[in-house]
Amino acid sequence: MFLLLPFDSLVVNLLGISITVLFTLLLVFIIVPAIFGVSFGIRKVYMKTLLKIFQWATLRIERGAKEKNHPLYKPYVNGIIAKEPTSLEEEIKEIRRSGSGKALDTPEFELSDIFYFCRKGIETIMDDEVTKRFSAEELESWNLLSRTNYNFQYISLRLTVLWGLGVLIRYCFLLPLRIALAFTGISLLVTGTTVVGYLPNGRCKEFLSKHVHLMCYRICVRALTAIITYHDRENRPRNGGICVANHTSPIDVIILASDGYYAMVGQIHGGLMGVIQRAMVKACPHVWFERSEVKDRHLVAKRLTEHVQDKSKLPILIFPEGTCINNTSVMMFKKGSFEIGATVYPVAIKYDPQFGDAFWNSSKYGMVTYLLRMMTSWAIVCSVWYMPPMTRQVSEEILDCLTCLFGPWLLLNSFVLPQPEEDAVQFANRVKSAIARQGGLVDLLWDGGLKREKVKDTFKEEQQKLYSKMIVGNHEDRSRS
Amino acid sequence: VSHSQITRLYSRFTSLDKGENGTLSREDFQRIPELAINPLGDRIINAFFPEGEDQVNFRGFMRTLAHFRPIEDNEKSKDQNGPEPLNSRSNKLHFAFRLYDLDKDGKISRDELLQVLRMMVGVNISDEQLGSIADRTIQEADQDGDSAISFAEFVKVLEKVDVEQKMSIRFLH
């Protein structure tokens, strides 16, 4: 036991020195730039190196698979079966056309109609558009993480060594570094905002609050090794507007907030999140709701409207999908935020899953597991596009009055009346399509809530109605003949 | 079916299998929104489950899906003594016949046809109209006068329909 003592102190010394060195490096290379918003470009170099390694690994795997004659598993993002984009009517007519020589425009029932429903049903069993959005996207080439390893069997020693090295680097070097940074960032946020909260309201407080927020978010960004490319920053949201973005994970908030100063909207949580939320609201007016208030849509709308109408208040950040989607598509936007009548600033966020998939599968992983997974990936790489603001098309009520009074005169002079008013749902869809187009995502009309809930019967009833039109009217024709 | 297609379908099978016990239940199928809104969704799901069972394993899953393999030309000239492949024209028609034949007695009675029609049209057509549609269909198809459609009569009615194309699903490569 006595022999251990000198050895013990040596170990302690070494540990002490390495921790000091680590923290100095941390401070100089990461925290100080974060405070001032500059970057050394270390992360970009890191990303380029990783890309080269991945390319090598992919080639190696393909070569190895060919040598051993193993079939290679290639995931396809665009679906695995050929689907015809024809409508119910067209398809059924085609089936009937090939079956009988009867006139096509007489609506009636044919036994062959069932083929349409049958095939459509089986197609959706093999590959459907919705369920695959709720699980992480499959990668086309391996990125040396065992979590994305589908079928990549042992190919070569070098590859395995590389993977092992990767594990070592990620878990023993990057993870502690990131946890230290995250810890620093969060504690600075809580203490900073609480301190700023004690100041009297005024320009000084606003200035400090903005910079405390930005600084802490930047530290958190580095804690995740997030490499973000911002496009079109001149379109950044302004006061009195609503910033709308597609939702992939809670990290979206950190990514957007590190480049702009927003008012957050959300439910008050307990635990650490609650502490952070309560501290933040001391420094600047975020909109937090109690659990009970969330159910009351009118109350929510009222509070948001009040916030938006006050021009001195910050733009609100909202994710209208309501849940995390896996970043291959954009699902239905809930109309609540579009009813308020403020200017909407759409933002498209697209992650590159090659370095680490940011999607939070909340039914599979809890928050802590998710954060650990994020911190043990290589990096989070994403692109953010700020898009030009959009507004709901103007009300026609006044123009209607004018038309009544001056109708004939307007017609005579061939006045072209502007577009009809769109309702919140149409506006939401318009914004959604714009975001989908910009981010290169699939635009879906399905509700993200389908992750957990069953689909509404109204959709089935629509299909039934469409089909009924094809077979009804039978008797009117019969009575004529 | 190629190896990669089987792997892909297995991957699909496991992603649908939320209970992770190697079999799918009816709830697993109903979780697919596009299938849940299909008016005949329940009948199609039923086709996967053999008599009286509530779980289908990957083998059963593949067997049912095999009906929808496109018919390849070289298969038509295959040896006639072997068992008929699952994706033959006759078997595809049989699959559709089973969707109509609710009690699996080999005949589509007026009642069965009415029930299936009701599933397809919902509440949009009255009972009388639907009844006369069913009557007319049986009248046109029935040849042996038993007021029901047997499989042979079913095949006769659909002899000109391009079943091979309409009941086949191609894989993308």
Side-chain angles (χ1 to χ4, degrees), chain A residues 34-35 185-197 199 204-219 257 261 279-280 283:
Chain A
I35 297 178
I186 294 178
S187 40
L188 270 176
L189 184 67
V190 172
T191 47
T193 46
T194 318
V195 163
V196 172
L199 293 173
C204 185
K205 180 177 186 180
E206 266 184 55
F207 177 77
L208 277 175
S209 168
K210 177 172 183 182
H211 283 275
V212 164
H213 274 97
L214 280 176
M215 174 182 87
C216 298
Y217 282 121
R218 285 198 200 115
I219 297 180
Y261 190 30
M280 282 168 68

Side-chain angles (χ1 to χ4, degrees), chain B residues 29-41:
Chain B
F29 283 101
Q30 278 156 357
R31 227 177 272 116
I32 305 174
E34 284 162 304
L35 186 63
I37 65 167
N38 189 319
L40 292 176

Side-chain angles (χ1 to χ4, degrees), chain B residues 40-113:
Chain B
L40 292 176
D42 286 331
R43 292 298 304 151
I44 297 171
I45 294 175
N46 224 39
F48 280 86
F49 294 88
E51 192 58 53
E53 284 180 31
D54 278 332
Q55 303 284 333
V56 59
N57 59 12
F58 184 58
R59 195 152 206 221
F61 184 71
M62 286 297 283
R63 252 189 82 86
T64 316
L65 290 181
H67 285 94
F68 290 84
R69 252 176 62 212
I71 298 179
E72 279 131 56
D73 284 325
N74 56 1
E75 284 185 21
K76 286 188 186 150
S77 52
K78 243 184 189 164
D79 151 54
Q80 293 297 319
N81 291 332
E84 213 178 340
L86 279 172
N87 65 336
S88 69
R89 185 194 159 86
S90 174
N91 274 322
K92 285 184 202 279
L93 282 165
H94 216 119
F95 190 87
F97 185 78
R98 283 199 294 264
L99 288 178
Y100 281 113
D101 186 11
L102 297 164
D103 59 4
K104 304 189 200 211
D105 63 350
K107 290 196 201 303
I108 306 175
S109 68
R110 181 180 189 269
D111 254 346
E112 288 173 340
L113 187 57

Side-chain angles (χ1 to χ4, degrees), chain A residues 71 74 80-82 94 98-99 109 111 115 117 119 124-126 128-129 446 459 464-465 468 475, chain B residues 3 8 12 34 37-38 44 48 96 100 119 121-122 124 132 136-137 158 160-162 166 170-172:
Chain A
K74 268 200 175 295
I80 58 176
I81 50 180
E94 231 192 274
S98 68
F109 170 70
L111 282 170
F115 290 159
F117 292 110
R119 196 179 96 217
T124 61
I125 291 178
M126 288 170 96
D128 80 302
E129 284 297 315
W446 296 96
F459 294 105
Q464 287 170 329
K465 213 168 183 178
S468 312
H475 291 280
Chain B
H3 186 270
R8 218 180 299 290
R12 174 72 175 161
E34 284 162 304
I37 65 167
N38 189 319
I44 297 171
F48 280 86
Y100 281 113
M119 280 188 232
V121 305
N124 298 294
S132 43
R136 187 185 64 83
T137 314
L158 298 172
K160 293 210 206 87
V161 175
D162 186 2
K166 292 300 162 190
R170 268 187 319 117
F171 269 94
L172 287 171

Side-chain angles (χ1 to χ4, degrees), chain A residues 277-481:
Chain A
Q277 286 174 318
R278 273 177 258 269
M280 282 168 68
V281 84
K282 288 195 188 123
C284 88
H286 296 288
V287 186
W288 301 127
F289 291 102
E290 299 291 332
R291 185 145 240 178
S292 48
E293 292 174 331
V294 172
K295 297 273 161 73
D296 186 351
R297 277 192 52 212
H298 287 292
L299 182 66
V300 170
K302 188 162 148 287
R303 273 186 72 181
L304 289 177
T305 322
E306 276 169 9
H307 184 111
V308 152
Q309 279 165 350
D310 184 348
K311 289 294 173 199
S312 68
K313 290 211 177 136
L314 307 162
I316 302 181
L317 181 58
I318 287 189
F319 297 103
E321 280 167 314
T323 185
C324 295
I325 310 294
N326 78 345
N327 209 237
T328 54
S329 68
V330 183
M331 294 191 128
M332 186 181 98
F333 275 6
K334 304 221 185 313
K335 62 179 177 168
S337 19
F338 298 92
E339 285 174 328
I340 298 176
T343 318
V344 167
Y345 294 89
V347 177
I349 307 178
K350 179 83 178 101
Y351 289 89
D352 184 351
Q354 182 81 1
F355 295 92
D357 196 320
F359 169 59
W360 182 27
N361 193 342
S362 46
S363 29
K364 227 172 157 188
Y365 307 111
M367 177 64 114
V368 181
T369 324
Y370 169 70
L371 283 173
L372 276 174
R373 280 170 69 93
M374 285 299 101
M375 292 194 184
T376 53
S377 322
W378 294 112
I380 310 282
V381 178
C382 66
S383 295
V384 175
W385 285 273
Y386 291 105
M387 294 157 63
M390 297 171 114
T391 42
R392 211 164 114 185
Q393 249 131 28
V394 141
S395 155
E396 285 295 301
E397 281 158 11
I398 298 176
L399 273 156
D400 276 345
C401 287
L402 289 173
T403 325
C404 292
L405 293 171
F406 303 109
W409 183 80
L410 286 168
L411 272 171
L412 280 172
N413 288 279
S414 337
F415 261 74
V416 177
L417 291 170
Q419 302 246 312
E421 175 171 349
E422 25 166 40
D423 66 355
V425 175
Q426 289 167 323
F427 181 39
N429 283 338
R430 195 159 59 95
V431 175
K432 175 163 67 77
S433 305
I435 292 184
R437 232 173 314 144
Q438 179 65 279
L441 306 164
V442 176
D443 186 4
L444 292 179
L445 289 170
W446 296 96
D447 184 354
L450 289 171
K451 202 195 231 179
R452 298 206 174 81
E453 292 152 9
K454 287 220 150 139
V455 68
K456 290 203 194 92
D457 279 332
T458 43
F459 294 105
K460 192 193 238 181
E461 285 156 22
E462 266 173 45
Q463 291 254 313
Q464 287 170 329
K465 213 168 183 178
L466 259 174
Y467 181 62
S468 312
K469 285 209 192 91
M470 292 213 78
I471 68 176
V472 108
N474 194 9
H475 291 280
E476 282 108 65
D477 280 5
R478 297 234 142 242
S479 58
R480 256 184 267 136
S481 66

